[in-house]
Amino acid sequence: MTDVMGMRIDAPARQAQSTQPMRATIVRAAQLARDAEEKAVKRQHAKGKYTARERLDLLFDSDTFEEIGRFNGGDINDGKAGSAVITGFGTVYGRKVAVYAQDFSVRGGTLGTAEGRKICHLMDMAMDLKIPVVALIDSGGARIQEGVAALTQYGHIFRKTCAASGFIPQISIILGPCAGGAVYCPALTDLIIMTRENSDMFVTGPDVVKAATGETISMDELGGGYVHNAKSGVAHYLGEDEADAIDYARTVLAYLPSNSDEQAPVYAFASGRAEQEAAKRLATIMPDNDRQPYDVLDVIRCIVDYGEFVQVHELFARSAVVGFACVDGRPVGIVANQPNVNAGILDVDASEKVARFVRLCDAFNLPVITLVDTPGYKPGADQEHAGIIRRGAKVIYAYANAQVPMITVILRKAFGGAYIVMGSKAIGADVNVAWPSSQIAVLGATGAVNIIHRKDLQKAKEAGRDVDALRAELAAEYERTTVNANLSLEMGQIDAMIDPEQTRDVIERSLKLLSTKRRHRPTTKHHGNQPL
């Protein structure tokens, strides 16, 4: 037998070459890696948490994770397996995704120079490859021993995150502490996912709060998963546990394209009897009394494929509903008012919730389906003082600048400024339809009558007439002549009046019609000055 150079190899030589010789340092490195994971298992499992590598197994399709820089930041000769962050790539539903996972078992997951450089290198690669980045956060923050050098790395990560924003999807999963300046890494990403237990985010911890204000508060009450999902709106999903949180991230990635230059994946779907039955149910959801609430989720589930709707910000600003779904196999973003909560009114929180989601959809080419049933912006001194003008304007900015296909269905009420901002044709929607129950006007009938016929009502009162009966009569007349979709139809602001059963079919056909719509750049400006 001869080798590739034509030289003869005898049997003993062949046997000697059958196994590649292993250098002692390689054997040592492999043992360090095994020891490090055993140490991580003991430390993390005792706290009811997975190790960083176990989390990666949950995130990626089986046997697809490829690590980069395994021993970067370590010292094999000194027995240090690596840095406090794992970086690499894998696939989620067959599509490539980049990840960095902080390892709390290594120096408390703290970030120093080595960790910062690994994360920045990963993000550079993700942008070059045009793929999403998922961050698994479990860290004690900046490494105090490295001082300003550690803080500098946060600055580099912030800059990279901002550069990637709107170009590739970025998802942060908080699976442990995230404190101080470190909180702004996830804050700059598209979605933040937290868990009920062990997940905390705050700029200043309980000890600092007590020293500064005298207030005693627990970590969970200050910045736990529920607090940031239901009160602050910082987080977008509350996982029951780590597996649920990571599964939610996988699900969201299935609706998004890998980058802003691509369209979202299209899935095989065959409409059948289930969709026909769901369409019929739409006719039974709307109450006869226009003041009676109903659950808009029932409407959404009758419209989307398999009734599957993935909510975003489910526990925050619940008078509005946003989330991902598919219609005829095409991923879309759904925005809806929720009549079950404060009549579906737009307040400061609901405005920001809607605006941020519309911007997310516009960045990643997801059509926006808007279901409208709102009496308007919430009145009151508390709202004015909380900045309803500034924060409510964010909805306008989001819709007016969106260039994805936009389809709007008015289900019932669409009053005042809220009618305009919630995906009206005037603000840029492509297709606008209304149900027969729709009421479109500057004000509701009673409110309008109280203003328009103020003097008439006063005269009736002075004359001893039944003021309530007169008000009801005038309100009925106003509803007949003004509070309906006829004027909007005549002006071209509504394209058609449809029966509820037709809603899914109209949306399907509109999506096909608009499937070739693409972005354009109308001016040479760098960017607008959005109200913040």
Side-chain angles (χ1 to χ4, degrees):
M1 181 177 179
T2 60
D3 66 4
V4 292
M5 299 297 291
M7 298 179 66
R8 183 170 181 79
I9 303 175
D10 57 21
R14 288 200 305 271
Q15 186 174 0
Q17 290 186 12
S18 64
T19 303
Q20 181 180 346
M22 297 289 287
R23 291 171 55 194
T25 52
I26 295 176
V27 175
R28 172 67 171 153
Q31 185 59 48
L32 280 175
R34 288 191 292 270
D35 292 345
E37 184 61 13
E38 289 178 6
K39 172 186 171 185
V41 166
K42 290 178 182 177
R43 290 193 175 187
Q44 293 291 90
H45 288 193
K47 301 173 185 176
K49 298 162 67 176
Y50 287 119
T51 70
R53 295 184 183 279
E54 288 172 335
R55 291 163 178 167
L56 293 173
D57 288 339
L58 290 172
L59 175 66
F60 290 124
D61 302 338
S62 297
D63 300 321
T64 64
F65 177 61
E66 296 289 342
E67 186 171 359
I68 60 172
R70 172 66 179 88
F71 296 100
N72 187 345
D75 187 334
I76 295 173
N77 291 329
D78 195 32
K80 296 176 182 177
S83 68
V85 66
I86 300 167
T87 55
F89 303 89
T91 65
V92 174
Y93 296 117
R95 295 161 59 210
K96 193 178 296 293
V97 173
V99 69
Y100 69 87
Q102 294 177 319
D103 188 346
F104 198 84
S105 70
V106 179
R107 306 180 76 173
T110 54
L111 185 133
T113 302
E115 289 78 9
R117 287 175 178 169
K118 283 184 71 172
I119 292 171
C120 288
H121 177 63
L122 177 89
M123 295 190 70
D124 282 336
M125 290 188 68
M127 284 189 277
D128 287 342
L129 296 170
K130 297 184 178 182
I131 59 174
V133 173
V134 175
L136 303 175
I137 308 295
D138 188 1
S139 170
R143 189 166 296 150
I144 297 173
Q145 297 91 326
E146 295 191 28
V148 175
L151 294 177
T152 298
Q153 293 304 318
Y154 278 119
H156 294 319
I157 297 170
F158 295 162
R159 191 173 176 86
K160 298 289 184 186
T161 306
C162 291
S165 181
F167 177 55
I168 53 175
Q170 299 180 88
I171 298 177
S172 299
I173 311 176
I174 315 299
L175 300 171
C178 182
V183 298
Y184 295 110
C185 291
L188 293 167
T189 61
D190 298 305
L191 293 172
I192 296 176
I193 302 166
M194 300 182 72
T195 59
R196 287 191 182 276
E197 304 290 338
N198 300 320
S199 182
D200 299 290
M201 292 179 73
F202 38 71
V203 176
T204 55
D207 293 340
V208 177
V209 169
K210 185 173 183 179
T213 68
E215 179 184 7
T216 300
I217 190 169
S218 69
M219 287 178 65
D220 192 53
E221 292 171 323
L222 180 64
Y226 181 79
V227 166
H228 283 312
N229 272 272
K231 295 184 179 181
S232 72
V234 166
H236 300 84
Y237 180 74
L238 181 64
E240 290 299 321
D241 51 30
E242 292 191 16
D244 182 34
I246 293 171
D247 183 66
Y248 181 82
R250 284 177 55 88
T251 301
V252 168
L253 287 170
Y255 289 93
L256 295 172
S258 293
N259 59 73
S260 61
D261 294 334
E262 296 181 5
Q263 298 296 308
V266 177
Y267 300 99
F269 179 79
S271 183
R273 184 172 179 178
E275 284 66 45
Q276 295 172 3
E277 294 298 321
K280 292 178 183 177
R281 285 199 302 275
L282 279 172
T284 68
I285 293 173
M286 188 67 66
D288 294 331
N289 183 347
D290 65 8
R291 291 180 174 274
Q292 185 176 338
Y294 63 92
D295 192 347
V296 78
L297 291 175
D298 292 337
V299 175
I300 294 171
R301 292 180 182 124
C302 287
I303 293 172
V304 302
D305 296 354
Y306 308 115
E308 293 181 0
F309 178 53
V310 180
Q311 281 202 65
V312 175
H313 261 152
E314 181 177 357
L315 302 179
F316 179 68
R318 297 176 68 181
S319 63
V321 170
V322 301
F324 302 104
C326 283
V327 176
D328 194 29
R330 301 169 187 267
V332 298
I334 305 282
V335 176
N337 305 113
Q338 176 55 289
N340 246 359
V341 180
N342 296 328
I345 207 160
L346 279 178
D347 58 14
V348 291
D349 289 337
S351 296
E352 291 186 335
K353 174 178 177 175
V354 168
R356 184 93 194 303
F357 186 73
V358 171
R359 294 286 279 177
L360 174 63
C361 292
D362 187 48
F364 294 111
N365 302 314
L366 290 189
V368 176
I369 313 298
T370 306
L371 307 177
V372 185
D373 187 352
T374 178
Y377 280 104
K378 186 177 182 180
D382 62 328
Q383 289 293 299
E384 297 296 345
H385 297 168
I388 188 66
I389 297 172
R390 169 176 56 83
R391 296 163 75 179
K394 296 179 184 183
V395 185
I396 300 173
Y397 197 93
Y399 273 104
N401 283 278
Q403 295 189 11
V404 292
M406 291 193 289
I407 302 163
T408 300
V409 183
I410 298 177
L411 307 180
R412 187 167 62 176
K413 293 185 178 70
F415 292 158
Y419 155 65
I420 294 297
V421 307
M422 289 293 293
S424 69
K425 191 172 284 288
I427 210 166
D430 300 292
V431 175
N432 293 63
V433 296
W435 283 8
S437 54
S438 60
Q439 303 174 15
I440 306 171
V442 176
L443 280 175
T446 302
V449 164
N450 287 337
I451 294 173
I452 298 171
H453 297 285
R454 182 178 64 254
K455 292 182 179 179
D456 295 331
L457 293 171
Q458 182 62 32
K459 288 178 182 178
K461 181 178 180 181
E462 292 171 355
R465 293 173 58 192
D466 188 340
V467 176
D468 291 338
L470 177 60
R471 181 182 288 108
E473 180 184 336
L474 293 170
E477 177 65 14
Y478 184 83
E479 283 191 1
R480 187 183 68 80
T481 60
T482 307
V483 185
N484 56 59
N486 290 345
L487 181 59
S488 295
L489 278 165
E490 293 162 6
M491 292 176 62
Q493 295 303 303
I494 296 293
D495 294 306
M497 190 81 75
I498 64 170
D499 291 328
E501 299 97 313
Q502 297 174 286
T503 305
R504 178 184 165 92
D505 183 55
V506 168
I507 291 173
E508 273 189 35
R509 287 188 281 111
S510 298
L511 287 172
K512 290 177 182 176
L513 170 70
L514 300 167
S515 62
T516 56
K517 183 180 180 182
R518 294 294 182 266
R519 299 190 192 97
H520 65 280
R521 190 175 182 182
T523 71
T524 57
K525 69 182 180 182
H526 178 44
H527 60 66
N529 188 16
Q530 179 180 356
L532 295 172

